[in-house]
């Protein structure tokens, strides 16, 4: 043990962490419930400084993407992190805090003492989180991950934010887990596609003619981008974006000074508009709404985001729709419903996704082709569905939510329930969206509100806005207010009065 004096006890606040360093190693000190503890200082998800996060209800919440860790031992409570925090031995010598420069040993892989086989269909955010959670929770049986893509699960969120902006190559797209993890945790990755599912026989049928029996299975196939139903949509410069391969296709075509026409005003559509504009393309958005994201963020924030795009040269068409893509072997223009022709070199569609459930026709599906699950995310005996394909009860109402973090929360709940628990989704949905260097955080899933209050101005961050219904916070949106949103991510799990929320934020 090699201890280093890093701080005085009196310097460690009780409402947040204190970052200290031993050489190049960053460590966060936490003072909670009268105890002092030391953990790794950066979030294992994306490296956020945990000292900038919030301490609330016995949890440390990451400032960037709201992963949560138990303050007693650093155990993972909420994704998008997939690992618990490394803990460092600590001693108090009078008022001095001394910390070892080596963390305590990590937990071991569960012994292979379980004869069951669990299959996870889909290796994206949800599937990877489920596999990690099963091992974390002690499952020692066989885990098979089945996915159409050859690569292990990777962070799709960077594709529209950074890859299309030229700030990151597709090869640099971060894997959710490295190869060593799959090997050490005895997780079998197989490339393949499901053609049919027999839930009563607990059998998956694969496109190569093989069958796969399971004791429990999780369906985590995610969403598929909606294709354009327009003449000319089959031209080679018409794209959607969901995978690394699709990002590579776009980047092989896109060049500065080209004209990009983006159809749709979804979050991914406008993130792509931001990225391609930063790459140097001339970008026009054919939008369904004059104010983007008003249904989620309200009109003030929606107007501010549109103005941000326009300040960077993005043009909007909001009063007419694209009726045809024109070109002889390649995209040359689009034709609007008023007969106006708009020149274009490439077209990118961001008109939403649909649940990738075509192979599950034997299961009852909703009108949108999603799978209805119960409060424990169960479809039927031995079968669960999570993430984009699941319609699940939220506050008593069936909902389907296409959020990265929520899919991972589903994954952890399903993993626990596969092992005999009875956990339900009782959290607060959260997502983030990136436009021209600004990150907008959103908490909640509000379909209606009767008041919106702001601290700061949406046009000039930092700002935070609270959406209230009958005096209770139902959603929050913010830019550059990471710690306040981290606190709200935990406190909004229980009814939170608007007045109390503002006291928290001011505190």
């Amino acid at each position: 043990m090699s201890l280093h004096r890093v701080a005085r006890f009196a310097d460690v606040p009780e409402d947040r962490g204190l970052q200290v360093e031993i050489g190049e190693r960053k460590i966060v000190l936490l003072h909670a419930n009268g105890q002092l503890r030391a953990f790794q200082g950066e979030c294992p998800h994306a490296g956020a400084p945990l000292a900038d996060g919030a301490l609330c209800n016995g949890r440390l919440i990451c400032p960037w993407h709201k992963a949560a860790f138990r303050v007693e031992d650093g155990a993972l409570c909420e994704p998008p992190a997939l690992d618990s925090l490394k803990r460092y031995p600590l001693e108090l010598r009078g008022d001095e805090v001394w910390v070892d420069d080596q963390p305590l040993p990590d937990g071991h892989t569960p012994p292979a003492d379980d004869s069951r086989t669990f299959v996870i269909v889909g290796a994206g955010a949800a599937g990877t989180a489920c596999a990690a959670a099963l091992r974390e929770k002690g499952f020692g049986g066989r885990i098979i991950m089945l996915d159409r893509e050859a690569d292990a699960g990777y962070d799709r969120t960077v594709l529209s934010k950074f890859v299309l902006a030229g700030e990151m190559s597709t090869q640099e797209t971060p894997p959710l887990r490295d190869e060593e993890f799959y090997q050490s945790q005895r997780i079998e990755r197989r490339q393949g596609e499901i053609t049919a599912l027999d839930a009563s026989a607990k059998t998956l049928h694969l496109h190569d003619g093989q069958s796969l029996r399971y004791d429990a299975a999780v369906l985590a196939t995610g969403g598929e981008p909606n294709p354009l139903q327009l003449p000319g949509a089959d031209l080679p410069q018409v794209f959607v974006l969901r995978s690394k391969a699709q990002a590579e296709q776009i980047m092989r075509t896109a060049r500065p000074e080209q004209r990009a026409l983006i159809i749709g005003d979804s979050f991914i559509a406008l993130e792509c508009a931001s990225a391609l504009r930063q790459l140097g393309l001339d970008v026009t958005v054919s939008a369904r709404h004059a104010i983007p994201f008003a249904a989620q963020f309200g009109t003030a924030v929606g107007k501010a985001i549109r103005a941000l795009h326009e300040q960077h040269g993005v043009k909007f068409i909001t009063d007419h729709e694209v009726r045809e893509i024109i070109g002889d072997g390649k995209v040359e223009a689009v034709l609007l419903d008023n007969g106006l022709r708009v020149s274009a070199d490439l077209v990118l569609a961001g008109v939403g996704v649909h649940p990738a459930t075509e192979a599950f026709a034997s299961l009852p599906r909703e009108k949108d082709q999603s799978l209805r699950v119960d409060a424990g995310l169960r479809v039927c005996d031995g079968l669960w569905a999570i993430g984009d394909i699941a319609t699940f009860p939220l506050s008593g109402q069936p909902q389907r939510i296409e959020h990265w973090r929520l899919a991972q929360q589903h994954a952890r709940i399903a993993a626990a329930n596969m092992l005999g628990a009875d956990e339900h989704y009782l959290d607060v949905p959260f997502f983030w969206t990136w436009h021209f260097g600004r990150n907008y955080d959103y908490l909640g899933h509000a379909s209606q509100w009767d008041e919106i209050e702001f601290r700061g101005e949406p046009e000039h961050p930092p700002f935070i806005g609270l959406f209230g219904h009958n005096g209770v916070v139902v959603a929050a949106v913010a830019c550059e207010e990471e710690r306040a949103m981290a606190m709200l991510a935990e406190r909004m799990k229980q009814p939170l009065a608007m007045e109390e929320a503002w006291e928290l934020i001011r505190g």
Side-chain angles (χ1 to χ4, degrees):
M1 180 178 287
S2 178
L3 293 174
H4 302 258
R5 182 165 56 87
V6 295
R8 294 186 308 120
F9 182 81
D11 293 333
V12 185
E14 292 193 56
D15 61 343
R16 69 186 71 188
L18 174 69
Q19 180 170 296
V20 298
E21 296 183 11
I22 301 176
E24 295 183 357
R25 195 182 303 274
K26 294 180 175 63
I27 293 172
V28 64
L29 301 179
L30 300 182
H31 182 192
N33 302 322
Q35 299 290 317
L36 200 62
R37 298 171 179 85
F39 299 104
Q40 68 184 78
E42 294 177 323
C43 181
H45 168 234
L50 292 173
D52 292 343
L55 279 172
C56 184
N57 293 341
R59 292 181 170 189
L60 172 63
I61 300 100
C62 170
W64 289 359
H65 305 117
K66 313 308 177 267
F69 308 90
R70 197 164 57 208
V71 297
E72 288 87 356
D73 54 8
L76 176 64
C77 301
E78 298 288 350
L82 299 180
D83 291 304
S84 298
L85 297 179
K86 294 176 182 177
R87 185 174 180 181
Y88 290 81
L90 176 150
E91 285 185 14
L92 273 178
R93 300 176 181 176
D95 188 48
E96 294 181 343
V97 182
W98 291 69
V99 176
D100 193 353
D101 59 9
Q102 295 300 315
L104 293 167
D106 289 337
H108 63 280
T109 304
D113 57 357
D114 195 317
S115 62
R116 292 176 294 174
T117 295
F118 287 0
V119 177
I120 300 169
V121 184
T128 305
C130 187
L134 285 169
R135 288 293 187 239
E136 172 200 326
K137 296 175 186 297
F139 178 60
R142 187 183 185 192
I143 298 177
I144 301 173
M145 294 186 71
L146 192 66
D147 195 77
R148 288 182 295 178
E149 292 191 57
D151 288 344
Y154 54 88
D155 187 349
R156 295 181 193 276
T157 68
V158 305
L159 300 179
S160 58
K161 296 174 173 66
F162 307 120
V163 172
L164 261 58
E167 297 176 12
M168 179 186 294
S169 71
T170 52
Q171 289 74 29
E172 294 172 311
T173 303
L176 298 176
R177 285 304 206 187
D178 60 26
E179 197 58 42
E180 192 276 332
F181 168 80
Y182 295 104
Q183 293 177 4
S184 66
Q185 298 295 315
R186 305 190 318 275
I187 296 169
E188 303 171 40
R189 292 197 300 109
R190 292 174 57 176
Q191 185 179 9
E193 231 175 307
I194 303 295
T195 56
L197 183 155
D198 186 339
S200 60
K202 294 187 175 179
T203 301
L204 297 165
H205 299 285
L206 309 185
H207 75 296
D208 61 4
Q210 296 187 50
S211 296
L212 196 56
R213 286 264 303 135
Y214 62 82
D215 294 284
V218 179
L219 306 178
T221 46
E224 285 286 340
N226 294 329
L228 288 175
Q229 303 294 334
L230 294 173
D234 57 347
L235 288 168
Q237 297 81 27
V238 179
F239 303 103
V240 294
L241 179 62
R242 181 74 175 183
S243 67
K244 284 199 297 186
Q246 290 164 340
E248 287 175 354
Q249 291 173 348
I250 296 169
M251 293 305 287
R252 281 197 296 267
T253 298
R255 295 289 181 272
E257 310 301 327
Q258 284 184 326
R259 297 157 300 186
L261 192 290
I262 295 178
I263 299 177
D265 52 11
S266 63
F267 285 102
I268 196 166
L270 289 195
E271 286 190 354
C272 290
S274 166
L276 292 175
R277 186 73 191 107
Q278 289 180 269
L279 190 63
L281 279 76
D282 182 279
V283 177
T284 300
V285 176
S286 174
R288 292 179 56 201
H289 309 94
I291 303 173
F293 315 148
Q296 297 87 6
F297 292 172
T299 57
V301 178
K303 286 179 178 179
I305 293 176
R306 174 167 171 169
L308 177 65
H309 276 256
E310 290 176 329
Q311 288 162 17
H312 285 85
V314 176
K315 297 177 283 291
F316 285 80
I317 299 170
T318 58
D319 48 357
H320 295 285
E321 295 183 3
V322 175
R323 284 287 182 255
E324 184 179 352
I325 302 169
I326 301 169
D328 183 10
K330 66 175 184 177
V331 170
E332 298 172 8
V334 299
L335 188 66
L336 303 183
D337 57 9
N338 64 347
L340 183 65
R341 178 186 170 109
V342 179
S343 297
D345 299 297
L346 67 90
V347 173
L348 193 153
V351 292
V353 302
H354 60 276
T357 58
E358 292 84 357
F360 313 136
S362 62
L363 300 174
R365 292 183 287 179
E366 301 294 295
K367 288 183 178 180
D368 65 358
Q369 302 304 302
S370 64
L371 301 175
R372 177 73 70 100
V373 298
D374 65 15
L377 304 173
R378 187 180 287 101
V379 179
C380 59
D381 181 48
L383 186 66
W384 285 258
I386 58 178
D388 291 5
I389 66 171
T391 292
F392 71 104
L394 179 66
S395 302
Q397 297 297 318
Q399 299 282 358
R400 187 175 73 84
I401 300 176
E402 299 161 358
H403 294 176
W404 174 269
R405 179 173 179 263
L406 182 135
Q408 295 178 311
Q409 290 172 321
H410 275 187
R412 294 182 60 80
I413 293 168
N417 293 344
M418 292 166 77
L419 298 174
D422 185 27
E423 295 189 7
H424 299 168
Y425 185 87
L426 300 172
D427 214 308
V428 181
F430 165 79
F431 71 90
W432 67 97
T433 186
W434 180 267
H435 305 267
F436 295 103
R438 289 183 183 173
N439 196 66
Y440 296 84
D441 286 347
Y442 179 84
L443 280 165
H445 190 70
S447 59
Q448 58 179 337
W449 55 83
D450 51 34
E451 59 178 324
I452 306 178
E453 297 178 2
F454 285 96
R455 183 180 75 170
E457 300 177 358
E459 299 85 357
H460 306 289
F463 78 88
I464 186 167
L466 300 182
F467 300 70
H469 185 64
N470 296 329
V472 174
V473 179
V474 293
V477 62
C479 182
E480 299 175 16
E481 288 280 5
E482 288 89 355
R483 187 171 177 274
M485 290 293 274
M487 183 74 74
L488 289 174
E490 184 65 28
R491 292 298 298 271
M492 283 172 60
K493 292 178 181 178
Q494 302 295 327
L496 179 64
M498 291 281 282
E499 184 177 340
E500 184 182 353
W502 283 120
E503 289 175 2
L504 278 173
I505 293 167
R506 286 190 290 267

